[in-house]
């Protein structure tokens, strides 16, 4: 029996959601994305849950979207939940890619950001590309000292991942360097630029995150929900929502350009090519 792509456990007032594809550094296929959606809904509906913790099994939080594991399932249909775009699986070209990514990337992440309970990301090892999206929808990020953050998709000719929060989670000039180089950012540097709340030693990551979650869980549920909504609204007034819409269009312009001029919509950059580029 295959392992569940997401594990769910409630410990008192804290729901723990754990991405469970450690063999592939928790690369996100559609099965994992929809399992995460189920887990977020479950926690949202449980009156005993006050706070959620999102983590990754194994050595890494998430290496990003699944672009080449044996369980890659981008071509398969799933029941759509995040928007009203049609099924992508029987379409071609931009009509397929835009519909799918509107659903599983931008749409899912936006909805998870609005979950009216605090969510804490507990990050170790790689938090890359699509992994950033999952960490950024969380309200707080606790990172271990060995964690690193990167968005290398400019190597594909694409201006960042679909949930384009870069200029809001870090200063614009830092965001430009982060994207232009594709270089990994250490946990300490991420803390210095305000992207991460706390940096702890690896052995203390789980306990430190749990301690923070329990402290927050002692606050009134409605007070937490309204406070989260207030800060999210402030971000949106600073242009986050509209900015993501505009960059999502640029993202798909890049995919279309690659499809016409390169080997595929990813510019020919498969897992091996991306790994080689990031270490050269």
């Amino acid at each position: 029996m295959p392992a569940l792509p997401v594990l769910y456990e409630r410990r008192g007032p804290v729901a723990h959601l754990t991405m469970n594809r450690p063999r592939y550094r928790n690369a996100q296929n559609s099965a994992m994305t929809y399992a995460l959606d189920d887990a977020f809904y479950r926690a949202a509906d449980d009156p005993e849950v006050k706070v959620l913790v999102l983590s990754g099994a194994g050595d890494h939080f998430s290496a990003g979207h699944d672009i080449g594991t044996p369980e890659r399932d981008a071509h398969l249909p799933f029941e759509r939940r995040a928007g009203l775009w049609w099924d992508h699986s029987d379409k071609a070209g931009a009509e397929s890619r835009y519909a799918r990514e509107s659903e599983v990337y931008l749409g899912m992440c936006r909805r998870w950001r609005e979950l009216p309970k605090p969510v804490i990301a507990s990050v170790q090892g790689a938090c890359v590309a699509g992994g950033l999206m999952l960490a950024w929808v969380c309200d707080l990020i606790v990172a271990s000292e060995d964690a690193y953050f990167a968005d290398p998709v400019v190597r594909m000719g694409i201006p960042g991942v679909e949930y384009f929060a870069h200029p809001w989670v870090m200063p614009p000039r830092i965001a430009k360097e982060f994207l232009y180089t594709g270089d990994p950012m250490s946990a300490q540097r991420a803390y210095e630029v305000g992207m991460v709340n706390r940096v702890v030693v690896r052995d203390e990551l789980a306990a430190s995150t749990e301690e923070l979650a329990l402290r927050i869980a002692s606050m009134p549920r409605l007070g937490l929900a309204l406070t989260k909504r207030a800060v999210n609204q402030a971000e949106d007034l600073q242009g986050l929502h509209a900015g993501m819409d505009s960059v999502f269009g640029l993202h798909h312009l890049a995919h279309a350009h690659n499809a016409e001029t390169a080997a595929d919509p990813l510019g020919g950059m498969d897992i091996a090519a991306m790994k080689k580029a990031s270490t050269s």
Side-chain angles (χ1 to χ4, degrees):
M1 181 176 180
L4 294 173
V6 175
L7 305 178
Y8 185 98
E9 179 185 6
R10 182 170 68 81
R11 304 176 204 158
V14 181
H16 290 264
L17 287 59
T18 305
M19 293 177 281
N20 190 37
R21 299 185 74 208
R23 179 181 177 185
Y24 303 114
R25 305 202 304 171
N26 295 315
Q28 304 154 33
N29 59 5
S30 292
M32 173 181 281
T33 302
Y34 281 90
L36 270 177
D37 197 50
D38 288 338
F40 278 122
Y41 264 112
R42 180 176 176 182
D45 288 341
D46 187 343
E48 299 300 317
V49 171
K50 298 284 291 294
V51 180
L52 291 73
V53 171
L54 177 64
S55 62
D59 294 333
H60 301 281
F61 179 76
S62 176
H65 299 321
D66 187 342
I67 63 172
T69 80
E71 298 162 17
R72 187 168 188 257
D73 53 9
H75 63 291
L76 297 178
F78 285 80
E79 181 183 356
R80 297 174 301 288
R81 302 173 182 172
L84 295 175
W85 278 92
W86 45 72
D87 177 19
H88 72 283
S89 65
D90 59 350
K91 312 297 188 299
E95 187 177 18
S96 172
R97 184 173 293 273
Y98 194 93
R100 178 175 185 270
E101 295 194 356
S102 293
E103 163 79 3
V104 298
Y105 296 156
L106 186 59
M108 291 284 195
C109 284
R110 277 181 164 169
R111 191 174 63 200
W112 298 338
R113 173 180 176 256
E114 296 302 317
L115 192 154
K117 296 179 181 181
V119 185
I120 305 172
S122 183
V123 178
Q124 83 282 8
C127 182
V128 176
L132 290 172
M133 295 167 50
L134 298 185
W136 287 348
V137 301
C138 298
D139 302 291
L140 305 177
I141 300 175
V142 180
S144 63
E145 291 177 328
D146 69 329
Y148 60 93
F149 305 84
D151 188 355
V153 302
V154 175
R155 294 193 181 102
M156 299 175 174
I158 297 170
V161 291
E162 295 84 355
Y163 186 86
F164 191 86
H166 308 62
W168 288 270
V169 299
M170 63 184 90
R173 283 190 175 84
I174 303 300
K176 288 178 180 178
E177 179 183 2
F178 185 70
L179 288 161
Y180 290 170
T181 66
D183 291 342
M185 178 184 288
S186 70
Q188 182 59 37
R189 180 59 171 157
Y191 175 78
E192 291 168 357
V193 303
M195 191 173 79
V196 163
N197 295 87
R198 300 182 181 184
V199 179
V200 300
V201 299
R202 177 66 173 268
D203 291 345
E204 297 176 4
L205 178 61
S208 296
T209 307
E210 182 80 0
E211 179 184 11
L212 179 59
L214 290 171
R215 182 176 178 185
I216 294 170
S218 69
M219 303 292 276
R221 176 171 50 236
L222 182 59
L224 290 171
L226 295 178
T227 301
K228 176 169 182 171
R229 183 63 180 151
V231 176
N232 282 2
Q233 285 177 335
E235 283 189 307
D236 288 337
L237 287 170
Q238 293 166 350
L240 175 63
H241 193 281
M244 283 190 185
D245 280 341
S246 65
V247 178
F248 193 64
L250 298 176
H251 184 98
H252 282 274
L253 171 62
H255 277 314
H257 176 75
N258 284 343
E260 288 194 24
T261 63
D264 55 49
L266 300 182
M269 297 294 286
D270 58 14
I271 293 176
M274 290 294 284
K275 185 178 295 186
K276 181 179 179 181
S278 65
T279 57
S280 60

